[in-house]
Amino acid sequence: MSAPFILVNLKTYKEGMGNRAHQIATAAQLVSRETGALIGIAPGYIDLHPLCHHFAVPVYAQHVDGCAPGANTGHVTVDAIKLAGAAGSLINHSERRLTLADIESSVRALQSQKLSSVICSNNEMTSAGAAALEPDYVAIEPPELIGSGISVSKANPDIIRRSVSIVQKVNPKVKVLTGAGIQSGECVKIAVDLGTDGVLLASSVVKAVDPVTILRELVSKL
Amino acid sequence: MSAPFILVNLKTYKEGMGNRAHQIATAAQLVSRETGALIGIAPGYIDLHPLCHHFAVPVYAQHVDGCAPGANTGHVTVDAIKLAGAAGSLINHSERRLTLADIESSVRALQSQKLSSVICSNNEMTSAGAAALEPDYVAIEPPELIGSGISVSKANPDIIRRSVSIVQKVNPKVKVLTGAGIQSGECVKIAVDLGTDGVLLASSVVKAVDPVTILRELVSKL
Amino acid sequence: MSAPFILVNLKTYKEGMGNRAHQIATAAQLVSRETGALIGIAPGYIDLHPLCHHFAVPVYAQHVDGCAPGANTGHVTVDAIKLAGAAGSLINHSERRLTLADIESSVRALQSQKLSSVICSNNEMTSAGAAALEPDYVAIEPPELIGSGISVSKANPDIIRRSVSIVQKVNPKVKVLTGAGIQSGECVKIAVDLGTDGVLLASSVVKAVDPVTILRELVSKL
Amino acid sequence: MSAPFILVNLKTYKEGMGNRAHQIATAAQLVSRETGALIGIAPGYIDLHPLCHHFAVPVYAQHVDGCAPGANTGHVTVDAIKLAGAAGSLINHSERRLTLADIESSVRALQSQKLSSVICSNNEMTSAGAAALEPDYVAIEPPELIGSGISVSKANPDIIRRSVSIVQKVNPKVKVLTGAGIQSGECVKIAVDLGTDGVLLASSVVKAVDPVTILRELVSKL
């Protein structure tokens, strides 16, 4: 099995933009090198290109539109993020929900450019629906726990277990991430022990005074 | 195997409202009795209650919201269509796309009231995604053929074949309808021969001068 | 000046459907007759037609689509609510926000059928934007107070005053309703004294054990 | 009166990304210097920062979210485009429609950072609604003419005239741009003669073999 994937979503936090995004990327690169952990970051679009070019960590878009290049204003195509150097994209985050048709077209567009796709889901059944679209990852995040400070690993291990099981059944090639409230090495370890391939997290890293310390803590029990 | 299901979506056509909706329901009931075919109709909300109470045919809503009763303005809950006497609802029609989370909550809400769910999809992969949500039916409608007068049965039998196959693989209990351009008994026969459980259609019936004639034609080759 | 308008939004509350919607309509009709107040109700679509035909109170849809009759699934056209007997429709309620283009097309479609339009807005600037579209009413509802039990009349009289003033400036023919937390005759009186033409309210009437009592209370200070 | 504003929307055209975006910006800067015309560009987010820093032309985002920095995934805040060096943003383009509340919050967020706001509208009444929100510009683009190759200046001068007039009435400080099918110096001249302050255009520049030639042509009759 490959190393668990720790994907840090910088959202539009003030503490995740510009210089501060560079600082988090620096921390991700450092802790990856120290520990062998696979740590990626998902910055805003403006920071995407510079981070891709200055750091040897996987950089993801937070959202991508599946539409082809053309007459689409305010959209972000897979071509655009590929050109920027992105490794992949989140799709259907709870703060940016898409239609089923748009989720699918985003996955196809990413695959056609050999980029990685992470579909966010909200419960075990939508995890199954997402897995049937053949993304690289499904990231299950119970919406009520996002940003709550309560870890899904501890509050609802059953939803993780059932999501892993149903995703396995629908498509065993699809990996599972878990998110919502992840904030310690113990949360990450529980998530991995429950059968997931990593975690999606945001505020606990982005708002940390020292991103190196929290990233070391997150991978400490692996 | 049960009789194929012919589901007539009245959309918001002028020719599908009020008295005219009653006329189409009358035709559906007549042809069902003559032939043993299972013919349902999906009228607008205003006609839902009267049609449910005056006709012995399955009446579907065109859309339903998965939210619980409460502070939702302009929404239509499963409770409301259940009280009206509906047999079920279309979900995620190409003219009313929903997020993955909303599609799933609508299916769950319908199931909790023992109503039937028909998720519309646009290609074979979204059909797989829809099937993983465990609805009663997935209705595959290539958007470019909807209302085109070109039958999906003839123009793209492969998409039907592949959708039936992938839905079977994801969840063999889910039935498949096909839609888009269906207008003759031959279209319906091809769709059924390709392994689907019926058809979803609209304009060819709603805009027909005589709904009885077209409905008899549609079921004539079964 | 005409009598203030009390518009009761039944939302999708369990206590506002079916028989219970009839009970609230009965109360609205009774209190209107007793007091000369103008009391309207906005039920769900399923109850729209029966309430329009059984009661002599203005019945509003909670939402309407501005599209013409045709190939629109799950939409509710102005034609449909006109046929049902509606007096008008809410547009852009905070629980059913629309694009600027769709708000405008809904107002135009209602006007073309001589039905009344009530655009909901969330602050004084969007009230100005709404007024420029020339609806019959703009209903200003600060979202943070909706369903809060805290009356906008008392918590934020300034937003009402400024909204009345800016709407007057943009288009003096447009009337202003205020909503959010309205629950007593005093709230209604303050709103009217601040220059509005009535109130939009929901839970305080819909969830009342006795709708007659609360409606009498609401109009008691006028 | 200030020089008319020529704003070139690069959309997600292949011919408007990366090196090619730089080429168009180079052309815009050159023709601005030659002629004194005010020529701006609206590239994709990935190109926003580099273009802002390498060129002395106003660079606009194609869309911006009015939300404050924080837990918003896949959104682009005004803070982010300000940090990138943008001069302002398009809002509510026909390919990225927003709710009235979101349009208004975007204008306010841009104003709070002293950035310019261009609200797109689709007819004269929505132009009035947009003007009431007090943006810097309203850009009226009849949707049926966008990308049509038929110039709004010639096909429908009345909609421009009426939009200018109604915007003047609602708020005389708001400037008007016209868009849709603009492709020649004559189109631009007509638009300006009808009282507008410039044009919003896309494909005629973005897809031109030589952006310098077409930009010179566009400003040639001013």
Side-chain angles (χ1 to χ4, degrees):
Chain A
M1 187 193 148
S2 55
F5 185 29
I6 313 291
L7 182 51
V8 182
N9 177 3
L10 307 191
K11 299 195 176 183
T12 60
Y13 287 121
K14 246 185 218 305
E15 302 89 343
M17 284 170 61
N19 290 340
R20 176 73 187 174
H22 276 68
Q23 190 188 343
I24 294 169
T26 303
Q29 184 171 274
L30 175 71
V31 178
S32 293
R33 285 176 180 172
E34 281 175 6
T35 64
L38 180 63
I39 305 177
I41 55 171
Y45 295 120
I46 307 291
D47 294 314
L48 199 64
H49 180 82
L51 293 182
C52 291
H53 285 260
H54 296 148
F55 297 95
V57 296
V59 179
Y60 278 65
Q62 291 175 17
H63 160 83
V64 75
D65 292 295
C67 56
N72 304 295
T73 296
H75 292 65
V76 178
T77 60
V78 168
D79 270 34
I81 66 164
K82 170 87 177 183
L83 198 61
S89 184
L90 292 178
I91 300 171
N92 193 47
H93 189 275
S94 70
E95 293 154 9
R96 192 77 154 87
R97 289 295 191 219
L98 300 179
T99 67
L100 176 62
D102 285 343
I103 296 170
E104 197 268 338
S105 70
S106 297
V107 174
R108 291 294 85 73
L110 287 164
Q111 284 179 341
S112 73
Q113 302 272 9
K114 304 195 187 311
L115 299 186
S116 172
S117 48
V118 181
I119 306 179
C120 299
S121 61
N122 57 308
N123 61 24
E124 66 194 85
M125 292 305 292
T126 54
S127 297
L133 304 177
E134 304 188 352
D136 294 285
Y137 294 94
V138 169
I140 161 81
E141 298 196 294
E144 68 280 10
L145 298 179
I146 296 177
S148 68
I150 301 169
S151 163
V152 63
S153 303
K154 295 178 183 177
N156 197 347
D158 270 357
I159 201 176
I160 302 180
R161 209 175 276 125
R162 289 195 309 259
S163 297
V164 169
S165 157
I166 202 164
V167 166
Q168 279 283 339
K169 206 182 127 205
V170 170
N171 189 332
K173 286 183 204 156
V174 175
K175 295 173 186 173
V176 178
L177 302 180
T178 39
I182 302 291
Q183 55 195 309
S184 70
E186 198 192 346
C187 303
V188 176
K189 185 176 187 325
I190 294 172
V192 171
D193 287 348
L194 290 167
T196 70
D197 300 273
V199 296
L200 176 59
L201 78 181
S203 58
S204 58
V205 173
V206 181
K207 299 195 157 186
V209 177
D210 178 10
V212 172
T213 306
I214 175 69
L215 285 171
R216 280 184 184 142
E217 155 69 16
L218 286 165
V219 302
S220 61
K221 310 274 165 109
L222 296 178
Chain B
M1 186 193 147
S2 56
F5 185 29
I6 314 291
L7 181 52
V8 183
N9 177 3
L10 306 191
K11 298 195 175 184
T12 59
Y13 287 122
K14 247 185 217 304
E15 303 88 344
M17 285 169 60
N19 290 341
R20 177 72 188 176
H22 275 69
Q23 191 190 341
I24 294 169
T26 305
Q29 184 170 277
L30 175 70
V31 177
S32 294
R33 285 176 180 171
E34 280 175 7
T35 64
L38 181 62
I39 304 176
I41 56 171
Y45 296 120
I46 307 292
D47 294 314
L48 200 65
H49 181 82
L51 294 182
C52 290
H53 285 260
H54 297 148
F55 298 95
V57 296
V59 180
Y60 278 66
Q62 292 175 17
H63 160 82
V64 76
D65 293 293
C67 57
N72 304 295
T73 296
H75 291 66
V76 178
T77 59
V78 168
D79 270 35
I81 68 165
K82 170 88 177 182
L83 198 61
S89 184
L90 292 178
I91 299 170
N92 193 46
H93 190 275
S94 70
E95 293 153 8
R96 191 78 154 88
R97 289 293 190 222
L98 300 180
T99 66
L100 177 62
D102 285 344
I103 296 171
E104 196 267 340
S105 70
S106 297
V107 173
R108 291 295 85 72
L110 287 164
Q111 284 179 341
S112 73
Q113 300 272 8
K114 304 195 188 310
L115 299 186
S116 172
S117 49
V118 181
I119 305 179
C120 298
S121 60
N122 57 307
N123 60 25
E124 66 195 83
M125 292 304 292
T126 52
S127 298
L133 305 177
E134 303 189 352
D136 294 285
Y137 293 94
V138 169
I140 160 82
E141 298 196 293
E144 66 280 11
L145 298 178
I146 296 176
S148 68
I150 300 169
S151 163
V152 64
S153 303
K154 295 178 184 177
N156 197 347
D158 269 358
I159 201 176
I160 302 180
R161 208 175 277 124
R162 289 194 308 261
S163 297
V164 168
S165 158
I166 202 165
V167 167
Q168 278 284 338
K169 206 182 126 206
V170 170
N171 188 334
K173 285 184 205 156
V174 176
K175 295 174 185 172
V176 178
L177 302 181
T178 38
I182 302 291
Q183 55 195 309
S184 71
E186 200 193 344
C187 303
V188 177
K189 184 176 186 323
I190 294 171
V192 171
D193 288 348
L194 290 167
T196 68
D197 299 274
V199 295
L200 176 60
L201 78 181
S203 58
S204 58
V205 172
V206 181
K207 298 194 157 188
V209 177
D210 178 11
V212 171
T213 304
I214 177 68
L215 285 172
R216 280 183 183 143
E217 158 65 18
L218 286 165
V219 303
S220 62
K221 309 276 165 105
L222 297 177
Chain C
M1 185 192 149
S2 55
F5 184 29
I6 314 290
L7 181 51
V8 183
N9 178 3
L10 307 191
K11 299 195 176 184
T12 60
Y13 288 121
K14 246 184 218 305
E15 303 87 346
M17 287 169 60
N19 290 341
R20 177 75 186 174
H22 276 69
Q23 190 189 343
I24 295 168
T26 305
Q29 184 171 274
L30 176 72
V31 177
S32 294
R33 285 176 180 170
E34 280 175 6
T35 63
L38 180 62
I39 305 176
I41 55 170
Y45 296 121
I46 307 291
D47 293 315
L48 199 65
H49 181 82
L51 294 182
C52 290
H53 285 261
H54 297 149
F55 297 94
V57 296
V59 180
Y60 278 66
Q62 292 175 16
H63 159 83
V64 76
D65 293 293
C67 56
N72 305 295
T73 296
H75 292 65
V76 178
T77 60
V78 168
D79 270 35
I81 67 166
K82 170 86 175 184
L83 198 63
S89 184
L90 292 177
I91 298 171
N92 192 47
H93 190 274
S94 70
E95 292 154 7
R96 190 76 153 91
R97 289 292 192 222
L98 298 180
T99 66
L100 176 62
D102 284 342
I103 296 170
E104 196 267 340
S105 71
S106 297
V107 174
R108 291 294 86 72
L110 287 164
Q111 284 179 341
S112 73
Q113 301 271 10
K114 304 194 188 312
L115 299 186
S116 173
S117 49
V118 181
I119 305 179
C120 299
S121 60
N122 56 306
N123 60 25
E124 67 196 83
M125 293 304 292
T126 53
S127 297
L133 305 177
E134 302 188 355
D136 294 284
Y137 293 94
V138 169
I140 160 84
E141 298 195 292
E144 68 279 10
L145 297 179
I146 296 176
S148 68
I150 301 167
S151 164
V152 64
S153 303
K154 296 178 182 177
N156 197 346
D158 270 358
I159 200 175
I160 302 181
R161 209 175 276 123
R162 291 194 308 260
S163 296
V164 168
S165 159
I166 202 164
V167 167
Q168 280 283 339
K169 206 183 125 204
V170 171
N171 189 334
K173 286 183 204 156
V174 175
K175 296 174 186 172
V176 178
L177 303 180
T178 38
I182 303 292
Q183 56 197 308
S184 70
E186 199 192 346
C187 303
V188 177
K189 185 176 187 323
I190 294 171
V192 171
D193 288 348
L194 290 167
T196 70
D197 300 272
V199 295
L200 175 60
L201 77 180
S203 57
S204 58
V205 173
V206 181
K207 299 193 157 189
V209 177
D210 179 12
V212 171
T213 306
I214 176 69
L215 285 171
R216 279 184 184 141
E217 157 67 17
L218 286 165
V219 302
S220 62
K221 310 275 166 105
L222 297 177
Chain D
M1 184 194 150
S2 55
F5 185 28
I6 315 290
L7 182 51
V8 182
N9 178 3
L10 307 192
K11 299 196 175 183
T12 59
Y13 288 121
K14 245 185 220 306
E15 303 88 347
M17 284 169 61
N19 291 340
R20 177 74 188 174
H22 275 69
Q23 191 189 342
I24 294 169
T26 305
Q29 185 171 275
L30 176 71
V31 177
S32 294
R33 286 176 180 171
E34 281 175 7
T35 65
L38 181 62
I39 305 176
I41 55 170
Y45 297 119
I46 307 290
D47 295 313
L48 199 64
H49 181 82
L51 294 181
C52 290
H53 285 259
H54 297 148
F55 298 95
V57 296
V59 179
Y60 278 65
Q62 292 175 15
H63 159 83
V64 77
D65 293 293
C67 57
N72 303 295
T73 296
H75 292 65
V76 178
T77 60
V78 168
D79 270 34
I81 68 165
K82 170 87 175 181
L83 198 60
S89 184
L90 293 178
I91 299 170
N92 194 45
H93 189 276
S94 70
E95 293 153 8
R96 192 76 152 92
R97 290 291 192 223
L98 299 180
T99 66
L100 176 62
D102 285 343
I103 296 170
E104 196 267 339
S105 70
S106 297
V107 173
R108 291 295 83 73
L110 287 164
Q111 285 179 342
S112 73
Q113 301 272 8
K114 304 196 189 310
L115 299 187
S116 172
S117 49
V118 181
I119 306 180
C120 299
S121 61
N122 57 306
N123 60 25
E124 67 196 83
M125 293 304 292
T126 53
S127 298
L133 304 177
E134 303 189 352
D136 294 284
Y137 294 94
V138 169
I140 159 82
E141 299 195 293
E144 66 281 10
L145 298 178
I146 296 176
S148 69
I150 301 168
S151 163
V152 63
S153 302
K154 296 178 182 178
N156 197 347
D158 269 359
I159 200 175
I160 302 180
R161 207 176 278 122
R162 289 195 309 261
S163 295
V164 168
S165 157
I166 201 164
V167 167
Q168 280 283 341
K169 207 182 126 204
V170 171
N171 189 333
K173 286 184 205 156
V174 176
K175 296 174 185 171
V176 178
L177 303 179
T178 40
I182 302 292
Q183 55 197 307
S184 71
E186 199 192 346
C187 302
V188 177
K189 186 177 186 324
I190 294 172
V192 171
D193 288 348
L194 290 167
T196 68
D197 300 273
V199 295
L200 175 59
L201 79 179
S203 57
S204 58
V205 173
V206 181
K207 298 193 158 191
V209 176
D210 179 12
V212 171
T213 305
I214 177 69
L215 285 172
R216 281 186 183 140
E217 157 68 16
L218 287 165
V219 303
S220 62
K221 312 273 166 111
L222 296 178

